Tab-separated table of all heavy atoms in Angstrom:
chain	number	residue	atom	x	y	z
I	1	LEU	N	19.743	0.593	6.097
I	1	LEU	CA	19.067	-0.537	6.706
I	1	LEU	C	20.101	-1.618	7.013
I	1	LEU	O	20.895	-1.995	6.088
I	1	LEU	CB	17.891	-1.082	5.907
I	1	LEU	CG	16.894	0.005	5.558
I	1	LEU	CD1	15.811	-0.666	4.734
I	1	LEU	CD2	16.250	0.613	6.786
I	2	ARG	N	20.166	-2.131	8.191
I	2	ARG	CA	21.174	-3.184	8.479
I	2	ARG	C	20.968	-4.367	7.660
I	2	ARG	O	22.052	-5.028	7.179
I	2	ARG	CB	21.006	-3.567	9.984
I	2	ARG	CG	22.076	-4.580	10.449
I	2	ARG	CD	22.000	-4.674	12.035
I	2	ARG	NE	20.694	-5.188	12.327
I	2	ARG	CZ	20.301	-6.464	12.373
I	2	ARG	NH1	21.104	-7.471	11.874
I	2	ARG	NH2	19.032	-6.834	12.756
I	3	GLU	N	19.770	-4.789	7.298
I	3	GLU	CA	19.634	-6.013	6.452
I	3	GLU	C	19.508	-5.635	5.027
I	3	GLU	O	19.152	-6.469	4.147
I	3	GLU	CB	18.326	-6.699	6.881
I	3	GLU	CG	18.482	-7.395	8.243
I	3	GLU	CD	17.236	-8.233	8.585
I	3	GLU	OE1	16.180	-7.625	8.925
I	3	GLU	OE2	17.326	-9.448	8.646
I	4	GLY	N	19.704	-4.342	4.604
I	4	GLY	CA	19.699	-4.026	3.251
I	4	GLY	C	18.477	-4.303	2.461
I	4	GLY	O	17.288	-3.923	2.785
I	5	ASP	N	18.722	-5.119	1.344
I	5	ASP	CA	17.661	-5.477	0.461
I	5	ASP	C	16.594	-6.421	1.090
I	5	ASP	O	15.430	-6.202	0.719
I	5	ASP	CB	18.222	-6.322	-0.641
I	5	ASP	CG	18.212	-5.632	-1.990
I	5	ASP	OD1	17.637	-4.496	-2.071
I	5	ASP	OD2	18.769	-6.078	-2.973
I	6	ILE	N	16.858	-7.173	2.088
I	6	ILE	CA	15.900	-7.928	2.803
I	6	ILE	C	14.964	-7.019	3.599
I	6	ILE	O	13.710	-7.288	3.603
I	6	ILE	CB	16.540	-8.948	3.727
I	6	ILE	CG1	17.417	-10.061	2.923
I	6	ILE	CG2	15.528	-9.684	4.508
I	6	ILE	CD1	18.187	-10.976	3.719
I	7	ALA	N	15.491	-6.084	4.267
I	7	ALA	CA	14.657	-5.142	5.091
I	7	ALA	C	13.693	-4.348	4.094
I	7	ALA	O	12.513	-4.055	4.332
I	7	ALA	CB	15.461	-4.199	5.892
I	8	ARG	N	14.301	-3.926	2.928
I	8	ARG	CA	13.574	-3.224	1.989
I	8	ARG	C	12.351	-4.060	1.386
I	8	ARG	O	11.278	-3.572	1.257
I	8	ARG	CB	14.468	-2.787	0.782
I	8	ARG	CG	13.613	-2.086	-0.343
I	8	ARG	CD	14.362	-1.376	-1.293
I	8	ARG	NE	15.414	-2.199	-2.004
I	8	ARG	CZ	16.140	-1.683	-2.944
I	8	ARG	NH1	16.064	-0.391	-3.321
I	8	ARG	NH2	17.037	-2.507	-3.635
I	9	ALA	N	12.612	-5.232	1.242
I	9	ALA	CA	11.367	-6.184	0.763
I	9	ALA	C	10.365	-6.266	1.787
I	9	ALA	O	9.141	-6.228	1.504
I	9	ALA	CB	12.059	-7.597	0.441
I	10	ARG	N	10.789	-6.315	3.069
I	10	ARG	CA	9.793	-6.259	4.202
I	10	ARG	C	8.984	-5.023	4.152
I	10	ARG	O	7.799	-5.085	4.366
I	10	ARG	CB	10.345	-6.572	5.484
I	10	ARG	CG	11.071	-7.907	5.675
I	10	ARG	CD	11.286	-8.267	7.107
I	10	ARG	NE	11.984	-9.526	7.264
I	10	ARG	CZ	13.272	-9.670	7.534
I	10	ARG	NH1	14.034	-8.613	7.632
I	10	ARG	NH2	13.827	-10.939	7.648
I	11	HIS	N	9.698	-3.934	3.942
I	11	HIS	CA	8.931	-2.636	3.861
I	11	HIS	C	7.938	-2.564	2.694
I	11	HIS	O	6.812	-1.969	2.869
I	11	HIS	CB	10.002	-1.466	3.749
I	11	HIS	CG	10.811	-1.200	4.972
I	11	HIS	ND1	11.816	-0.294	5.017
I	11	HIS	CD2	10.701	-1.731	6.131
I	11	HIS	CE1	12.258	-0.196	6.233
I	11	HIS	NE2	11.688	-1.131	6.967
I	12	GLN	N	8.385	-3.143	1.599
I	12	GLN	CA	7.454	-3.218	0.458
I	12	GLN	C	6.206	-4.002	0.850
I	12	GLN	O	4.983	-3.547	0.497
I	12	GLN	CB	8.168	-3.843	-0.708
I	12	GLN	CG	9.225	-3.029	-1.301
I	12	GLN	CD	10.250	-3.724	-2.266
I	12	GLN	OE1	10.102	-4.857	-2.481
I	12	GLN	NE2	11.183	-2.948	-2.809
I	13	GLN	N	6.293	-5.049	1.547
I	13	GLN	CA	5.167	-5.834	1.931
I	13	GLN	C	4.299	-5.145	2.866
I	13	GLN	O	3.113	-5.185	2.931
I	13	GLN	CB	5.603	-7.191	2.535
I	13	GLN	CG	6.252	-8.153	1.587
I	13	GLN	CD	6.694	-9.473	2.253
I	13	GLN	OE1	6.733	-9.562	3.536
I	13	GLN	NE2	7.042	-10.512	1.513
I	14	GLN	N	4.958	-4.378	3.823
I	14	GLN	CA	4.321	-3.513	4.760
I	14	GLN	C	3.322	-2.398	4.100
I	14	GLN	O	2.191	-2.295	4.396
I	14	GLN	CB	5.266	-2.765	5.717
I	14	GLN	CG	5.715	-3.508	6.903
I	14	GLN	CD	6.524	-2.567	7.788
I	14	GLN	OE1	7.516	-1.961	7.357
I	14	GLN	NE2	6.166	-2.503	9.046
I	15	VAL	N	3.945	-1.878	2.996
I	15	VAL	CA	3.159	-0.806	2.357
I	15	VAL	C	2.008	-1.495	1.625
I	15	VAL	O	0.897	-0.838	1.496
I	15	VAL	CB	4.102	-0.006	1.399
I	15	VAL	CG1	3.348	0.792	0.314
I	15	VAL	CG2	5.085	0.896	2.144
I	16	ILE	N	2.222	-2.590	0.911
I	16	ILE	CA	1.116	-3.298	0.295
I	16	ILE	C	-0.008	-3.597	1.235
I	16	ILE	O	-1.155	-3.476	0.958
I	16	ILE	CB	1.766	-4.548	-0.443
I	16	ILE	CG1	2.536	-4.078	-1.701
I	16	ILE	CG2	0.524	-5.403	-0.937
I	16	ILE	CD1	3.117	-5.238	-2.286
I	17	GLU	N	0.355	-4.255	2.420
I	17	GLU	CA	-0.616	-4.531	3.390
I	17	GLU	C	-1.404	-3.299	3.754
I	17	GLU	O	-2.690	-3.326	3.982
I	17	GLU	CB	-0.063	-5.240	4.558
I	17	GLU	CG	0.513	-6.674	4.230
I	17	GLU	CD	1.267	-7.288	5.356
I	17	GLU	OE1	1.232	-6.707	6.458
I	17	GLU	OE2	1.972	-8.337	5.160
I	18	ALA	N	-0.697	-2.120	4.007
I	18	ALA	CA	-1.335	-0.902	4.496
I	18	ALA	C	-2.244	-0.408	3.376
I	18	ALA	O	-3.378	0.108	3.749
I	18	ALA	CB	-0.220	0.089	4.769
I	19	LEU	N	-1.965	-0.567	2.084
I	19	LEU	CA	-2.874	-0.092	1.100
I	19	LEU	C	-4.031	-1.004	1.036
I	19	LEU	O	-5.136	-0.534	0.746
I	19	LEU	CB	-2.033	-0.121	-0.316
I	19	LEU	CG	-1.089	1.001	-0.534
I	19	LEU	CD1	-0.171	0.705	-1.729
I	19	LEU	CD2	-1.860	2.288	-0.721
I	20	ILE	N	-3.873	-2.320	1.170
I	20	ILE	CA	-4.979	-3.276	1.175
I	20	ILE	C	-5.994	-2.896	2.260
I	20	ILE	O	-7.143	-2.848	2.054
I	20	ILE	CB	-4.530	-4.715	1.305
I	20	ILE	CG1	-3.827	-5.027	0.028
I	20	ILE	CG2	-5.688	-5.658	1.541
I	20	ILE	CD1	-3.168	-6.425	0.145
I	21	GLN	N	-5.433	-2.599	3.500
I	21	GLN	CA	-6.277	-2.169	4.602
I	21	GLN	C	-7.148	-1.019	4.243
I	21	GLN	O	-8.302	-0.835	4.575
I	21	GLN	CB	-5.419	-1.903	5.827
I	21	GLN	CG	-4.845	-3.138	6.429
I	21	GLN	CD	-3.877	-2.881	7.676
I	21	GLN	OE1	-3.694	-1.717	7.955
I	21	GLN	NE2	-3.381	-3.891	8.181
I	22	LYS	N	-6.431	0.149	3.637
I	22	LYS	CA	-7.162	1.359	3.335
I	22	LYS	C	-8.163	0.988	2.207
I	22	LYS	O	-9.404	1.514	2.171
I	22	LYS	CB	-6.158	2.330	2.846
I	22	LYS	CG	-5.561	3.254	3.921
I	22	LYS	CD	-6.636	4.158	4.547
I	22	LYS	CE	-6.136	5.097	5.471
I	22	LYS	NZ	-5.605	6.302	4.898
I	23	ALA	N	-7.736	0.250	1.301
I	23	ALA	CA	-8.659	-0.006	0.050
I	23	ALA	C	-9.876	-0.879	0.527
I	23	ALA	O	-10.941	-0.828	-0.226
I	23	ALA	CB	-7.973	-0.711	-1.105
I	24	THR	N	-9.753	-1.699	1.610
I	24	THR	CA	-10.909	-2.450	2.037
I	24	THR	C	-11.669	-1.821	3.129
I	24	THR	O	-12.624	-2.476	3.689
I	24	THR	CB	-10.442	-3.871	2.367
I	24	THR	OG1	-9.362	-3.801	3.452
I	24	THR	CG2	-9.875	-4.654	1.182
I	25	SER	N	-11.389	-0.593	3.482
I	25	SER	CA	-12.141	0.095	4.551
I	25	SER	C	-13.184	1.095	3.865
I	25	SER	O	-13.281	1.124	2.651
I	25	SER	CB	-11.044	0.910	5.421
I	25	SER	OG	-10.598	2.007	4.613
I	26	THR	N	-13.768	1.835	4.728
I	26	THR	CA	-14.794	2.762	4.164
I	26	THR	C	-14.142	3.802	3.320
I	26	THR	O	-14.822	4.587	2.577
I	26	THR	CB	-15.516	3.460	5.363
I	26	THR	OG1	-14.532	4.092	6.227
I	26	THR	CG2	-16.372	2.491	6.089
I	27	THR	N	-12.826	3.993	3.289
I	27	THR	CA	-12.080	4.939	2.439
I	27	THR	C	-12.443	4.668	0.939
I	27	THR	O	-12.545	5.636	0.294
I	27	THR	CB	-10.588	4.786	2.683
I	27	THR	OG1	-10.206	4.978	4.015
I	27	THR	CG2	-9.738	5.667	1.774
I	28	ILE	N	-12.730	3.477	0.589
I	28	ILE	CA	-13.012	3.107	-0.695
I	28	ILE	C	-14.150	3.843	-1.207
I	28	ILE	O	-14.337	4.192	-2.364
I	28	ILE	CB	-13.117	1.637	-0.947
I	28	ILE	CG1	-13.094	1.186	-2.474
I	28	ILE	CG2	-14.468	1.092	-0.346
I	28	ILE	CD1	-11.709	1.365	-3.010
I	29	LEU	N	-15.176	4.194	-0.336
I	29	LEU	CA	-16.424	4.768	-0.766
I	29	LEU	C	-16.240	6.284	-1.162
I	29	LEU	O	-16.723	6.750	-2.155
I	29	LEU	CB	-17.405	4.749	0.299
I	29	LEU	CG	-17.800	3.273	0.718
I	29	LEU	CD1	-18.829	3.410	1.983
I	29	LEU	CD2	-18.480	2.621	-0.270
I	30	THR	N	-15.387	6.964	-0.446
I	30	THR	CA	-15.118	8.418	-0.719
I	30	THR	C	-13.924	8.633	-1.670
I	30	THR	O	-13.855	9.699	-2.290
I	30	THR	CB	-14.878	9.192	0.568
I	30	THR	OG1	-13.821	8.556	1.387
I	30	THR	CG2	-16.126	9.053	1.504
I	31	LYS	N	-13.001	7.622	-1.725
I	31	LYS	CA	-11.816	7.899	-2.586
I	31	LYS	C	-11.792	7.013	-3.831
I	31	LYS	O	-10.741	6.949	-4.487
I	31	LYS	CB	-10.585	7.485	-1.721
I	31	LYS	CG	-10.429	8.353	-0.386
I	31	LYS	CD	-10.100	9.732	-0.668
I	31	LYS	CE	-9.722	10.501	0.533
I	31	LYS	NZ	-9.414	11.885	0.365
I	32	TYR	N	-12.894	6.335	-4.143
I	32	TYR	CA	-12.965	5.302	-5.224
I	32	TYR	C	-12.432	5.906	-6.546
I	32	TYR	O	-11.571	5.373	-7.120
I	32	TYR	CB	-14.432	4.896	-5.360
I	32	TYR	CG	-14.471	3.764	-6.305
I	32	TYR	CD1	-14.094	2.423	-6.072
I	32	TYR	CD2	-15.082	3.899	-7.616
I	32	TYR	CE1	-14.201	1.438	-6.989
I	32	TYR	CE2	-15.245	2.927	-8.449
I	32	TYR	CZ	-14.779	1.610	-8.172
I	32	TYR	OH	-14.838	0.622	-9.087
I	33	ALA	N	-13.039	7.066	-6.998
I	33	ALA	CA	-12.615	7.699	-8.252
I	33	ALA	C	-11.255	8.030	-8.261
I	33	ALA	O	-10.467	7.933	-9.278
I	33	ALA	CB	-13.519	8.821	-8.514
I	34	ASP	N	-10.697	8.578	-7.073
I	34	ASP	CA	-9.284	9.018	-7.008
I	34	ASP	C	-8.342	7.857	-7.124
I	34	ASP	O	-7.244	7.934	-7.655
I	34	ASP	CB	-8.997	9.776	-5.692
I	34	ASP	CG	-9.761	11.145	-5.622
I	34	ASP	OD1	-10.026	11.695	-6.673
I	34	ASP	OD2	-10.051	11.575	-4.493
I	35	ILE	N	-8.721	6.743	-6.484
I	35	ILE	CA	-7.951	5.529	-6.537
I	35	ILE	C	-7.804	4.994	-7.874
I	35	ILE	O	-6.665	4.616	-8.361
I	35	ILE	CB	-8.529	4.404	-5.671
I	35	ILE	CG1	-8.367	4.907	-4.090
I	35	ILE	CG2	-7.850	3.091	-5.894
I	35	ILE	CD1	-9.172	3.943	-3.151
I	36	LEU	N	-8.892	4.963	-8.671
I	36	LEU	CA	-8.805	4.511	-10.080
I	36	LEU	C	-7.999	5.396	-10.971
I	36	LEU	O	-7.160	4.961	-11.777
I	36	LEU	CB	-10.209	4.316	-10.655
I	36	LEU	CG	-11.206	3.258	-10.091
I	36	LEU	CD1	-12.367	3.320	-10.915
I	36	LEU	CD2	-10.538	1.949	-10.036
I	37	LYS	N	-8.137	6.732	-10.738
I	37	LYS	CA	-7.440	7.694	-11.507
I	37	LYS	C	-5.941	7.589	-11.191
I	37	LYS	O	-5.112	7.857	-12.040
I	37	LYS	CB	-7.896	9.120	-11.070
I	37	LYS	CG	-7.250	10.266	-12.019
I	37	LYS	CD	-7.773	11.635	-11.658
I	37	LYS	CE	-7.166	12.641	-12.532
I	37	LYS	NZ	-7.656	14.002	-12.167
I	38	SER	N	-5.533	7.361	-10.010
I	38	SER	CA	-4.161	7.224	-9.584
I	38	SER	C	-3.468	6.062	-10.394
I	38	SER	O	-2.265	6.163	-10.577
I	38	SER	CB	-3.965	7.111	-8.058
I	38	SER	OG	-4.380	5.722	-7.665
I	39	MET	N	-4.184	5.003	-10.650
I	39	MET	CA	-3.583	3.889	-11.332
I	39	MET	C	-3.607	3.951	-12.886
I	39	MET	O	-2.914	3.283	-13.595
I	39	MET	CB	-4.314	2.654	-10.890
I	39	MET	CG	-4.421	2.383	-9.497
I	39	MET	SD	-2.782	2.099	-8.817
I	39	MET	CE	-2.439	0.399	-9.348
I	40	GLU	N	-4.329	5.019	-13.383
I	40	GLU	CA	-4.436	5.240	-14.807
I	40	GLU	C	-3.039	5.485	-15.496
I	40	GLU	O	-2.409	6.487	-15.175
I	40	GLU	CB	-5.428	6.374	-15.200
I	40	GLU	CG	-5.865	6.397	-16.628
I	40	GLU	CD	-6.966	7.442	-16.793
I	40	GLU	OE1	-7.918	7.492	-15.998
I	40	GLU	OE2	-6.891	8.141	-17.627
């Protein structure tokens, strides 16, 4: 990446935002148990 660490930090924010979008969608209803298990 041309911006190195700075670009990587932006990518990390992108992934967090994408996870929040999934977790606050209807996905949470069908994937709830799997989500909790993944964090265990």
